[in-house]
Amino acid sequence: MDLQQEVEIVGTPISNRAVFRAVRTNLAENGHPTEELNEHLAARARGGVGLVVGPAKMLVDSSASGPWFVDAYDTDVVPALERTARSIHEAGGTVFGQLTHPGAEATGDWEMQAQLAPSAVASDSTYEMPTPMSHDDIERLQRSFGTAAKNLSNAGFDGVELAAGPYSILRQFLSPKFNVREDEYGGSWENRARFVNEVLDTVSKAIDEPVGLHLSLAEMEYGGYEYEDIPDLLNAIDGFDYLSVTVGTASTYTQGHSGIGMDSPGLESGIETVSDIVDVPLIGRSPLTTGDSTRDLLDAGADLVSFTRQLLADENTVQKLQEGVRPKQCIKCNQKCLEGVFADAHGGHVECVINPRTGREAELDPIQSLPEVNYKQNILVVGGGPAGMRFATVASQRGHNVTLRERKDKLGGQLTVAAQGILSPIERALEDLKSDLIETEVAVETGQEVRAKDISNEWDAIVVATGAPISTKEGYDFEEKVVDAVDVLQGEETADEVLLIDENRWIITMQVGLELARRGTDLEIVTEDHYPGFRTEQPNLPTMVASLQAQGVDFIGNHEVDEITDDGTVTMHHIYSGTTQSRKPETIVYAGRRSANESLYLELSNGHDDVYRIGDAVSPRKLDRAYYDAEDLARRL
């Protein structure tokens, strides 16, 4: 089957087999979808996706609430939902709305109310004990699903999808872990599926459009159902017009997403099992669906293929696949797509490290649609790291004459160091940055040291992207006693017994720790936090901590280093109790913080008018800021 083939779901035509799966965005306000959300979804339809499923997290009842949900049960929301549907239709897509009630996998903090669930079983994702649903609650929620579905139909949606995946009361009724009821809604598969079937029946009677089910094939947590239960699970459910499959629960959600430091299991074998059982269109997904994996999913029996993170990295992925052009590649970092939403970081809404437009579609036009500049400037970019490369590409695309000079013999800056071990997927970002640069008319000069006194007045603008020094230990009294963490990544040897000092508190500590563990060192990590690398994104941190512990690495948590003496003794104190202890390892490795390399910028600013700095030359931050700074300046000049 071809990804570009048209398909039908119960008479509803879909232009191709590509689906933008419902993904939480937090682009909602007062229970209404925002124009930012509409533009976010429509951008994927313009990029070639046949079916958009969303918005995600549309609630069917006021017993669940939160600032990131859309209140689909409220008829006052219908006009806003009409705008959502119209935006996607005008962009050329079909839209199915996904309805849910999170049950035990949410909290009542927003409305200060208890959460409803099949049984009094707490989810590890919330640790809040829910209230078991009475029969009256069950009947009310059934009606609520029907009312919400009718609202979507009235708003012009082409279909409705019921969520029985992570964050879903429907899946919780199916689960032997979350459903321990002893009435007709608990016990056997038939009983546990009763509520799901009743909701499917209610919704199907309420609307004329297709009704699908988004289902976790395995919960992947102790006491839940697993892949081997798929036949019993599916044979117990009836009444859906199509089936969309995923995996996991709220507390195991990231296990189904192949992120930094983990290789999640594929769903192909599960999809093969499902395709032999159900006789309706099947939407499949991979932990990271890309152009390479679509064939495997279609061959396994999927009729449509859903994309999530790849379409956040490049909303034009489907169109580019059709044209034989490689889309920008997701780097699997989970920093903005998951962490930005679920940890309310980075502004609290969906974004992407390598695509600053994601989540800002209403604010930022696509770069390819920007008009060419009226005045072409001669621009010198100093520094060939991610910020310098991205700026040079976009500025050149807009019509400027750009020259990029890098003092080293190759481009990439700190990406060349970072993209290894657990962070090897970052290499994809470097590949795309280089590829884009080659396709432009940027004059690239490597091995060129730039000094302020040598820069003439031929340049209309100078952009400093010199980053921050890679080494982190300059200026410390113990400089001669330790190995820098970055030097370890560059191959420097250590002794068999190592103490790693974590003052960076982010992913480099985990990366270096895992590298030292791979070498077989006897490793301890001292940190001020409970765990090393504590500021690492929550979707990534648990896996890395578990991996270090599994390899015998010891943590000295909640300790601050006081001194490293001349003989290499490290003294430290407990930050709460004040008690002290010491170590005398054979090698000390230090992971610290960096400061901006701003000397060239300051010197140039004294002699030239239009001097700018971007990325780590402003302040050492994460990779997303390098991309954002670069594009922001290139759009303005």
Side-chain angles (χ1 to χ4, degrees), residues 187-216:
S188 66
W189 279 109
E190 179 183 4
N191 284 354
R192 294 204 306 274
R194 189 181 306 277
F195 179 63
V196 177
N197 290 333
E198 290 173 346
V199 170
L200 282 165
D201 182 63
T202 299
V203 173
S204 296
K205 290 177 179 177
I207 63 174
D208 296 326
E209 293 82 9
V211 179
L213 186 67
H214 182 61
L215 178 68
S216 279

Short mmCIF file of all heavy atoms in Angstrom, two decimals, residues 187-216:
data_model
loop_
_atom_site.label_atom_id
_atom_site.label_comp_id
_atom_site.label_asym_id
_atom_site.label_seq_id
_atom_site.Cartn_x
_atom_site.Cartn_y
_atom_site.Cartn_z
N GLY A 187 -14.36 -7.73 36.64
CA GLY A 187 -14.12 -9.16 36.64
C GLY A 187 -13.68 -9.68 35.29
O GLY A 187 -12.51 -9.56 34.91
N SER A 188 -14.59 -10.23 34.51
CA SER A 188 -14.27 -10.83 33.21
C SER A 188 -14.00 -9.75 32.17
O SER A 188 -14.34 -8.58 32.35
CB SER A 188 -15.42 -11.71 32.75
OG SER A 188 -16.58 -10.92 32.48
N TRP A 189 -13.42 -10.16 31.05
CA TRP A 189 -13.22 -9.23 29.95
C TRP A 189 -14.55 -8.66 29.49
O TRP A 189 -14.67 -7.46 29.20
CB TRP A 189 -12.52 -9.93 28.78
CG TRP A 189 -11.04 -10.04 28.94
CD1 TRP A 189 -10.31 -11.15 29.20
CD2 TRP A 189 -10.10 -8.96 28.87
NE1 TRP A 189 -8.98 -10.86 29.31
CE2 TRP A 189 -8.81 -9.51 29.10
CE3 TRP A 189 -10.22 -7.59 28.65
CZ2 TRP A 189 -7.66 -8.74 29.10
CZ3 TRP A 189 -9.07 -6.81 28.65
CH2 TRP A 189 -7.80 -7.38 28.87
N GLU A 190 -15.56 -9.52 29.39
CA GLU A 190 -16.87 -9.05 28.97
C GLU A 190 -17.40 -7.96 29.89
O GLU A 190 -17.95 -6.95 29.44
CB GLU A 190 -17.85 -10.23 28.93
CG GLU A 190 -19.26 -9.83 28.52
CD GLU A 190 -20.22 -11.00 28.57
OE1 GLU A 190 -19.80 -12.10 28.99
OE2 GLU A 190 -21.40 -10.83 28.20
N ASN A 191 -17.25 -8.16 31.19
CA ASN A 191 -17.74 -7.16 32.15
C ASN A 191 -16.90 -5.88 32.11
O ASN A 191 -17.45 -4.77 32.16
CB ASN A 191 -17.74 -7.75 33.55
CG ASN A 191 -18.89 -8.71 33.78
OD1 ASN A 191 -19.76 -8.85 32.93
ND2 ASN A 191 -18.90 -9.38 34.92
N ARG A 192 -15.59 -6.01 32.04
CA ARG A 192 -14.73 -4.82 32.05
C ARG A 192 -14.92 -4.00 30.77
O ARG A 192 -14.70 -2.79 30.77
CB ARG A 192 -13.26 -5.20 32.23
CG ARG A 192 -12.94 -5.81 33.60
CD ARG A 192 -11.48 -5.63 33.97
NE ARG A 192 -10.56 -6.12 32.96
CZ ARG A 192 -10.14 -7.38 32.86
NH1 ARG A 192 -10.57 -8.29 33.73
NH2 ARG A 192 -9.30 -7.74 31.91
N ALA A 193 -15.34 -4.67 29.69
CA ALA A 193 -15.56 -3.96 28.43
C ALA A 193 -16.97 -3.38 28.34
O ALA A 193 -17.27 -2.65 27.38
CB ALA A 193 -15.31 -4.89 27.25
N ARG A 194 -17.82 -3.69 29.31
CA ARG A 194 -19.22 -3.29 29.22
C ARG A 194 -19.37 -1.77 29.08
O ARG A 194 -20.12 -1.28 28.23
CB ARG A 194 -19.98 -3.79 30.45
CG ARG A 194 -21.51 -3.60 30.35
CD ARG A 194 -22.19 -4.10 31.63
NE ARG A 194 -21.82 -5.46 31.95
CZ ARG A 194 -22.39 -6.54 31.40
NH1 ARG A 194 -23.38 -6.38 30.53
NH2 ARG A 194 -21.99 -7.74 31.75
N PHE A 195 -18.67 -1.02 29.92
CA PHE A 195 -18.80 0.44 29.88
C PHE A 195 -18.32 0.98 28.54
O PHE A 195 -18.94 1.88 27.95
CB PHE A 195 -18.02 1.07 31.03
CG PHE A 195 -18.08 2.58 31.06
CD1 PHE A 195 -19.28 3.24 31.23
CD2 PHE A 195 -16.93 3.33 30.91
CE1 PHE A 195 -19.33 4.63 31.26
CE2 PHE A 195 -16.96 4.71 30.93
CZ PHE A 195 -18.17 5.37 31.11
N VAL A 196 -17.21 0.47 28.02
CA VAL A 196 -16.69 0.90 26.72
C VAL A 196 -17.72 0.65 25.63
O VAL A 196 -17.99 1.53 24.78
CB VAL A 196 -15.36 0.19 26.40
CG1 VAL A 196 -14.85 0.60 25.02
CG2 VAL A 196 -14.32 0.50 27.46
N ASN A 197 -18.31 -0.53 25.64
CA ASN A 197 -19.31 -0.86 24.62
C ASN A 197 -20.55 0.02 24.73
O ASN A 197 -21.13 0.44 23.72
CB ASN A 197 -19.70 -2.33 24.73
CG ASN A 197 -18.58 -3.25 24.29
OD1 ASN A 197 -17.73 -2.88 23.47
ND2 ASN A 197 -18.55 -4.47 24.83
N GLU A 198 -20.94 0.31 25.96
CA GLU A 198 -22.11 1.17 26.14
C GLU A 198 -21.84 2.59 25.65
O GLU A 198 -22.72 3.23 25.05
CB GLU A 198 -22.52 1.18 27.62
CG GLU A 198 -23.12 -0.14 28.08
CD GLU A 198 -23.38 -0.18 29.58
OE1 GLU A 198 -22.86 0.70 30.30
OE2 GLU A 198 -24.06 -1.11 30.04
N VAL A 199 -20.63 3.09 25.88
CA VAL A 199 -20.27 4.42 25.40
C VAL A 199 -20.21 4.43 23.87
O VAL A 199 -20.71 5.37 23.22
CB VAL A 199 -18.93 4.87 26.00
CG1 VAL A 199 -18.42 6.14 25.31
CG2 VAL A 199 -19.07 5.12 27.50
N LEU A 200 -19.61 3.41 23.28
CA LEU A 200 -19.57 3.32 21.82
C LEU A 200 -20.99 3.32 21.24
O LEU A 200 -21.26 4.01 20.24
CB LEU A 200 -18.83 2.05 21.38
CG LEU A 200 -17.30 2.08 21.45
CD1 LEU A 200 -16.73 0.68 21.35
CD2 LEU A 200 -16.74 2.96 20.34
N ASP A 201 -21.88 2.58 21.85
CA ASP A 201 -23.25 2.51 21.37
C ASP A 201 -23.95 3.87 21.52
O ASP A 201 -24.65 4.32 20.60
CB ASP A 201 -24.02 1.44 22.14
CG ASP A 201 -25.44 1.28 21.66
OD1 ASP A 201 -25.64 0.90 20.50
OD2 ASP A 201 -26.37 1.54 22.47
N THR A 202 -23.75 4.52 22.65
CA THR A 202 -24.38 5.83 22.88
C THR A 202 -23.91 6.85 21.86
O THR A 202 -24.71 7.61 21.29
CB THR A 202 -24.06 6.33 24.31
OG1 THR A 202 -24.59 5.40 25.26
CG2 THR A 202 -24.64 7.70 24.55
N VAL A 203 -22.61 6.90 21.63
CA VAL A 203 -22.05 7.88 20.69
C VAL A 203 -22.49 7.57 19.27
O VAL A 203 -22.84 8.48 18.50
CB VAL A 203 -20.51 7.92 20.81
CG1 VAL A 203 -19.91 8.79 19.71
CG2 VAL A 203 -20.09 8.44 22.17
N SER A 204 -22.49 6.30 18.89
CA SER A 204 -22.90 5.93 17.54
C SER A 204 -24.34 6.31 17.26
O SER A 204 -24.69 6.66 16.12
CB SER A 204 -22.70 4.42 17.32
OG SER A 204 -21.33 4.08 17.41
N LYS A 205 -25.19 6.25 18.28
CA LYS A 205 -26.59 6.63 18.10
C LYS A 205 -26.77 8.14 18.10
O LYS A 205 -27.76 8.65 17.57
CB LYS A 205 -27.43 6.01 19.21
CG LYS A 205 -27.59 4.50 19.09
CD LYS A 205 -28.38 3.93 20.26
CE LYS A 205 -28.56 2.42 20.13
NZ LYS A 205 -29.26 1.83 21.31
N ALA A 206 -25.81 8.86 18.68
CA ALA A 206 -25.94 10.32 18.79
C ALA A 206 -25.53 11.04 17.52
O ALA A 206 -26.00 12.16 17.26
CB ALA A 206 -25.09 10.83 19.96
N ILE A 207 -24.64 10.43 16.70
CA ILE A 207 -24.13 11.12 15.51
C ILE A 207 -24.18 10.19 14.30
O ILE A 207 -24.28 8.96 14.44
CB ILE A 207 -22.69 11.62 15.71
CG1 ILE A 207 -21.73 10.45 15.94
CG2 ILE A 207 -22.63 12.60 16.88
CD1 ILE A 207 -20.27 10.86 16.00
N ASP A 208 -24.09 10.77 13.12
CA ASP A 208 -24.06 10.00 11.88
C ASP A 208 -22.64 9.74 11.40
O ASP A 208 -22.42 8.89 10.53
CB ASP A 208 -24.84 10.74 10.79
CG ASP A 208 -26.32 10.89 11.11
OD1 ASP A 208 -26.88 9.97 11.74
OD2 ASP A 208 -26.90 11.94 10.76
N GLU A 209 -21.69 10.46 11.94
CA GLU A 209 -20.30 10.35 11.49
C GLU A 209 -19.63 9.10 12.06
O GLU A 209 -20.13 8.49 13.02
CB GLU A 209 -19.51 11.60 11.90
CG GLU A 209 -19.95 12.88 11.21
CD GLU A 209 -21.18 13.51 11.85
OE1 GLU A 209 -21.60 13.04 12.94
OE2 GLU A 209 -21.72 14.46 11.26
N PRO A 210 -18.47 8.71 11.51
CA PRO A 210 -17.75 7.54 12.03
C PRO A 210 -17.35 7.72 13.49
O PRO A 210 -17.04 8.83 13.94
CB PRO A 210 -16.50 7.47 11.14
CG PRO A 210 -16.86 8.22 9.90
CD PRO A 210 -17.81 9.29 10.32
N VAL A 211 -17.32 6.61 14.22
CA VAL A 211 -16.90 6.60 15.63
C VAL A 211 -15.75 5.61 15.76
O VAL A 211 -15.92 4.41 15.54
CB VAL A 211 -18.05 6.20 16.56
CG1 VAL A 211 -17.56 6.17 18.01
CG2 VAL A 211 -19.21 7.16 16.40
N GLY A 212 -14.58 6.12 16.09
CA GLY A 212 -13.41 5.26 16.23
C GLY A 212 -13.00 5.10 17.68
O GLY A 212 -13.50 5.79 18.58
N LEU A 213 -12.06 4.18 17.91
CA LEU A 213 -11.55 3.92 19.26
C LEU A 213 -10.03 3.98 19.21
O LEU A 213 -9.39 3.32 18.38
CB LEU A 213 -12.00 2.54 19.74
CG LEU A 213 -11.65 2.17 21.19
CD1 LEU A 213 -12.42 3.06 22.16
CD2 LEU A 213 -11.95 0.70 21.46
N HIS A 214 -9.46 4.80 20.08
CA HIS A 214 -8.00 4.90 20.22
C HIS A 214 -7.62 4.06 21.44
O HIS A 214 -7.94 4.42 22.57
CB HIS A 214 -7.59 6.36 20.40
CG HIS A 214 -6.11 6.57 20.51
ND1 HIS A 214 -5.24 6.22 19.51
CD2 HIS A 214 -5.34 7.09 21.51
CE1 HIS A 214 -4.02 6.53 19.87
NE2 HIS A 214 -4.04 7.04 21.08
N LEU A 215 -6.92 2.94 21.22
CA LEU A 215 -6.78 1.91 22.25
C LEU A 215 -5.32 1.58 22.53
O LEU A 215 -4.53 1.35 21.60
CB LEU A 215 -7.52 0.65 21.79
CG LEU A 215 -7.45 -0.57 22.70
CD1 LEU A 215 -8.22 -0.31 24.00
CD2 LEU A 215 -8.01 -1.79 21.99
N SER A 216 -4.96 1.54 23.80
CA SER A 216 -3.65 1.00 24.21
C SER A 216 -3.70 -0.52 24.10
O SER A 216 -4.55 -1.16 24.72
CB SER A 216 -3.31 1.40 25.64
OG SER A 216 -2.80 2.70 25.71
#
